[in-house]
Each structure stands twice: as structure tokens, then as C-alpha cells.
Amino acid sequence: MPYFNEQLSEEKVFKDPVHRYVHVRNRVIWDLIGTPEFQRLRRVRQLGTTYLTFHGAEHSRFNHSLGVYEIVRRILENFKDHPDWNEEERLLCLCAGLLHDLGHGPFSHSFEKVFHLDHEDFTQEIILGDTNVNRILQRVGEDFPQKVADVIGKTYSNKLVVSLISSQIDADRMDYLQRDAYFTGVSYGYFDMERILRVMRPMGDQVVIKESGMHAVEDYIMSRYQMYWQVYFHPVTRSAEVILSKILHRARDLYNSGYEFQLKPIHFYSLFEENPTLNDYLQLDESVVMYYFQIWRNEQDDILRDLCNRFVNRHLFKYIEFNPNLQISEYMELNDLFRKVGIDPDYYLEVDSSSDLPYDFYRPGEEEERLPIHLQMPNGDLRELSRHSEIVEAISGKKRTDHKLYFPMDFIEGLSDDNAKKQRILEILNG
Ligand code: ZN
């Protein structure tokens, strides 16, 4: 039997807290899961620093990737006999679902920002480069790695296949909303996925939702909205992200200035030089990063030592609401006062902004064109979701932004009370 069609003699199942079981029958999928590149995802948390806010959020990208694969598998189970579905693309969809997050590094958000990396580029490199994953995909067919990379990169010719992995209602989002809700322990992320899977169907080059399933989709959109504001943009998580970014900045600045580290950051050298090879990148996971942070708690450099202590022991920055567009003079004054009292504002004062668009309909020509969700009406016509659902209409296309200012309150409180600058700093921070 050709490799692409080879089935395991016995179905393998992974116990999963969200989907109960993840089922694997294809030899190709089983082999991909066994590669070092995929196993590495066990050592990268799905939600970065969120575990410092919600202590249950220790789940990994490995969990999530298996979950996305399982949802794709279930969707395709329902598509199987549909005239608009080509069963030959089944394995391609399963591989793309499984591998879509393969390039995520440790604490992706901060690392990508500080070192100008893009996990999507690394996903492509791992699939197309000299890796175990690539060799397995090659065995399926010479052009198969490229096809998988195209689906994940959203350039594949069949948009129906792309939309299963990335659209406004795709296997990726359906998995992470439920999984992140489960592991954080919050009660907002739930929606009736079984119902949604039953009302999803292929139509031409897109996935549409049978009109009778609209309420389940409304629930899904609302859960996404809630999760963003209650979990993903939580200000305490962002405080930890700010500290993490500052550690990386400080370490790079020290490296560039020739500072002698007690523990030489050899795993970071090529990142500091903004030229990481694929192999360097694959060596870096959260256990390696945490090892450095732990050891750097005893470095000579005061700032690096303090920031690492804060991160490891969860001694985070405090925050206030702060709009940098309206409060620029306050920000400049704080910056100046911090410097004068000996708190380096480059590492200890930061504005962080988050924003989200809960659902968007198609507006041609705009920067971020998102494919809309279409309902299939009983007469067969298609209607864009926000034109039929009042709930979705109410939150459509509305971007909400939230700004916070982060600072070490303990340092400020530690200044002597007769220091007039301290009083002025507190005055500004207390509004
Ligand atoms: Zn994902």
C-alpha cells in the first residue's frame, strides 16, 4: 500500500480533556507526531505567560495541535460524501491542521517582538527545510511538503481547504477557545462545537453554516470576544510579558556592550545578532529559556538580576489605565522623574496596548480582509452572518483598544518619603 494511504493496524487514541479522544489511523500522521520537531511543541506553552495569571494554563502547543488535527478530522468525516468535497485532499488537511503551529518558539509573543521573528516563517522552514517532518511529507509525494506549507500560509489554490485551518470559524480557533477556557478554568470559552460541526458544509470554495445552526455560531463569536478580554489580554499576563521583553532587551544590550555573563547565553547569540538558523531556533524551548532566567537571578548586572527575579518569582509590575495618545506629557514627565530618582525608564516604564476585532465582514480593499461567515438559508441562498444575527451585528467591525502603563510600584514606594519627586510620581500615577 502506498505510504500516503497506509493505515495503522490498530487505531491509536490520545486521551484529551477537551475532545475526550484524538483518533489517529493514518501512518503519516502517526509518523509526524513522532518527529523531534513536533515533540518540541510539548515544551512550548500554548498561552505564554498566562500561567502567571491563571495557574492552570500550563498546556502546550502539542496539546493544541493534536486538538486542531482532531477537529479537522471530524469536519472531514461529515464532508466525506458531499459532492463539493474532494476526498483526495483529506490527508493534506489533516497534516496542515496538525502542523499549523510548528514554528512557534518559547513565549512567542515577546520573542517575536524583541528579535523581529515570525513563527509563520519558521513553520514554513520546518516543513520545507532539512527536517524529519519534511522527509515524512516527501515520502507522501514530492510536492506534498509545498502543498502543506501553502495551506498553512493561506496561498493554496483550493480556498475551501485553507478555510478549514484559517478563517473566522476554523479548527484552530475552535480548539484554542475551548482548550484555553478549560485550562484557565474560566467559564466563558464554551460553545456547542458538536452542533457547529453538524451544520458546517462545503459549498464551492468555502465552508458555510446551515441557518439552523446560527445560535451556536453566535455563542462561538461571543466566547471568542469574552476570551480575548478576560484571558488573552489580561493585564497581569501583559505585565509578565512586559518584564519578559525587558529581560530579553537587557540581555541583548549587555551582550552588545561586551558584558561578561556568568552564564554565557550561547543559545541566544544568533537571536541577539538577529540571524538565527533553523537549528538554533529548534534548540530553544521554554525549559531552556527558564534555565537562563533562573541562573541570571544571580548575575552581576542589577537590572538583569532584578528583572529575572521578578519573572521567576512572579513579582510583577503594577499598572494603570493610560492613553499614550492623550497623556504624552505625563509620560514624558514620568520618564524624566524615573531617570532622576535612579529607576531606568527604558526597562521599568512601558505602555502596552491590546486590541481585537471580534468578528469582521468582508470589506474589499481594507488592510485586513477577513472572509465572512456565510449562513445557508432554507431556500439555498447565502447570507453574511452579521446581516442575519443581531447579536453579531452589534459587535461586528468594532475594534476595541485598551492601553495600560506598567511600572515597578515597589521601587517607587522604596524611595524616601521626603523625596519630592516620589510625591510627584505618585500624583501622576494616581491620576
Ligand atoms: Zn493554533
Side-chain angles (χ1 to χ4, degrees):
M1 181 173 286
Y3 184 54
F4 72 88
N5 236 345
E6 204 179 316
Q7 306 289 302
L8 299 167
S9 57
E10 205 172 57
E11 184 179 61
K12 304 279 188 187
V13 286
F14 294 81
K15 196 83 188 75
D16 185 89
V18 177
H19 308 308
R20 294 196 57 232
Y21 291 102
V22 173
H23 305 255
V24 178
R25 259 199 182 276
N26 293 76
R27 161 71 61 189
V28 176
I29 296 296
W30 183 247
D31 289 349
L32 287 170
I33 293 171
T35 60
E37 297 91 19
F38 191 79
Q39 291 290 319
R40 166 186 159 277
L41 297 177
R42 291 181 186 272
R43 302 185 301 276
V44 176
R45 289 187 190 87
Q46 173 70 10
L47 290 182
T49 60
T50 304
Y51 71 98
L52 291 167
T53 310
F54 298 94
H55 65 259
E58 294 275 357
H59 57 305
S60 68
R61 299 243 173 228
F62 181 90
N63 299 187
H64 162 64
S65 299
L66 284 182
V68 174
Y69 154 83
E70 175 64 14
I71 295 177
V72 173
R73 195 192 66 78
R74 289 185 196 175
I75 293 172
L76 298 184
E77 212 49 45
N78 296 337
F79 282 10
K80 208 160 48 188
D81 302 315
H82 201 285
D84 281 14
W85 174 247
N86 178 0
E87 192 63 9
E88 275 173 31
E89 304 210 89
R90 183 169 184 276
L91 183 64
L92 176 60
C93 292
L94 294 177
C95 290
L98 185 73
L99 304 178
H100 78 287
D101 273 346
L102 197 56
H104 269 288
F107 304 110
S108 316
H109 192 69
S110 304
F111 270 72
E112 293 189 8
K113 233 171 54 191
V114 176
F115 299 125
H116 308 108
L117 308 169
D118 182 351
H119 68 266
E120 291 182 6
D121 294 345
F122 283 104
T123 301
Q124 299 280 328
E125 266 194 66
I126 297 169
I127 290 170
L128 300 172
D130 179 17
T131 60
N132 295 280
V133 164
N134 178 267
R135 280 185 281 281
I136 288 167
L137 298 174
Q138 285 277 354
R139 277 182 68 193
V140 174
E142 216 184 312
D143 58 348
F144 196 63
Q146 189 62 56
K147 282 185 176 175
V148 174
D150 288 347
V151 173
I152 296 173
K154 308 186 197 76
T155 56
Y156 189 65
S157 55
N158 184 349
K159 296 302 169 208
L160 172 61
V161 168
V162 173
S163 69
L164 290 175
I165 317 294
S166 42
S167 62
Q168 296 200 72
I169 185 156
D170 59 25
D172 184 22
R173 290 182 187 193
M174 284 197 273
D175 185 79
Y176 73 61
L177 290 174
Q178 297 179 86
R179 190 168 301 278
D180 298 344
Y182 176 88
F183 282 98
T184 51
V186 301
S187 52
Y188 334 101
Y190 295 96
F191 56 90
D192 190 350
M193 185 179 77
E194 298 304 320
R195 175 102 187 105
I196 292 180
L197 296 189
R198 260 199 301 278
V199 294
M200 278 175 103
R201 54 209 50 196
M203 188 177 178
D205 63 354
Q206 60 176 319
V207 178
V208 300
I209 308 284
K210 213 173 128 192
E211 192 254 358
S212 62
M214 183 180 79
H215 297 298
V217 177
E218 287 176 339
D219 250 11
Y220 156 85
I221 303 266
M222 291 313 288
S223 89
R224 181 165 183 276
Y225 176 78
Q226 293 280 2
M227 284 299 283
Y228 267 80
W229 291 103
Q230 310 289 345
V231 176
Y232 302 139
F233 295 153
H234 196 288
V236 173
T237 306
R238 284 154 59 195
S239 175
E241 290 278 347
V242 167
I243 293 175
L244 178 54
S245 302
K246 297 298 179 191
I247 294 175
L248 300 175
H249 270 291
R250 185 62 180 175
R252 183 177 58 190
D253 291 352
L254 291 172
Y255 171 79
N256 287 335
S257 70
Y259 171 83
E260 278 286 328
F261 286 87
Q262 288 172 42
L263 175 67
K264 292 199 191 333
I266 50 170
H267 291 89
F268 289 86
Y269 285 172
S270 65
L271 285 176
F272 290 158
E273 287 155 17
E274 293 204 10
N275 185 28
T277 64
L278 181 57
N279 196 48
D280 291 340
Y281 188 76
L282 290 173
Q283 298 301 315
L284 209 61
D285 58 38
E286 287 176 9
S287 55
V288 173
V289 171
M290 287 305 288
Y291 173 72
Y292 278 98
F293 289 2
Q294 176 78 347
I295 302 294
W296 285 346
R297 288 168 54 236
N298 298 310
E299 274 293 339
Q300 290 289 329
D301 180 70
D302 289 339
I303 293 176
L304 184 63
R305 193 176 62 234
D306 174 68
L307 292 171
C308 287
N309 253 315
R310 287 179 188 274
F311 192 79
V312 171
N313 295 321
R314 196 193 177 281
H315 188 42
L316 305 177
F317 290 168
K318 295 281 181 268
Y319 57 89
I320 54 168
E321 297 290 331
F322 194 87
N323 190 333
N325 306 313
L326 305 173
Q327 296 173 272
I328 187 82
S329 63
E330 282 100 323
Y331 180 79
M332 300 305 284
E333 192 183 347
L334 277 176
N335 210 67
D336 190 46
L337 287 163
F338 268 47
R339 214 173 279 286
K340 285 184 175 140
V341 299
I343 304 172
D344 189 339
D346 294 346
Y347 300 102
Y348 290 101
L349 190 64
E350 179 78 13
V351 178
D352 180 77
S353 306
S354 296
S355 48
D356 175 48
L357 209 52
Y359 171 74
D360 203 12
F361 41 86
Y362 182 63
R363 285 173 298 181
E366 292 211 356
E367 186 188 348
E368 215 183 332
E369 291 178 3
R370 303 206 206 177
L371 292 176
I373 297 174
H374 278 131
L375 298 175
Q376 185 183 35
M377 309 308 285
N379 68 1
D381 289 355
L382 293 186
R383 268 194 102 176
E384 190 273 317
L385 176 65
S386 71
R387 292 182 202 282
H388 197 62
S389 159
E390 288 171 9
I391 293 178
V392 174
E393 193 204 359
I395 58 167
S396 279
K398 290 197 182 66
K399 194 166 184 167
R400 193 179 130 189
T401 308
D402 169 72
H403 311 279
K404 299 259 189 294
L405 178 73
Y406 291 88
F407 51 88
M409 192 50 141
D410 52 309
F411 276 7
I412 298 160
E413 282 168 348
L415 297 169
S416 133
D417 277 334
D418 47 25
N419 185 338
K421 294 188 184 71
K422 170 181 179 175
Q423 300 312 329
R424 179 60 191 145
I425 290 174
L426 289 174
E427 218 174 275
I428 301 176
L429 294 178
N430 295 327

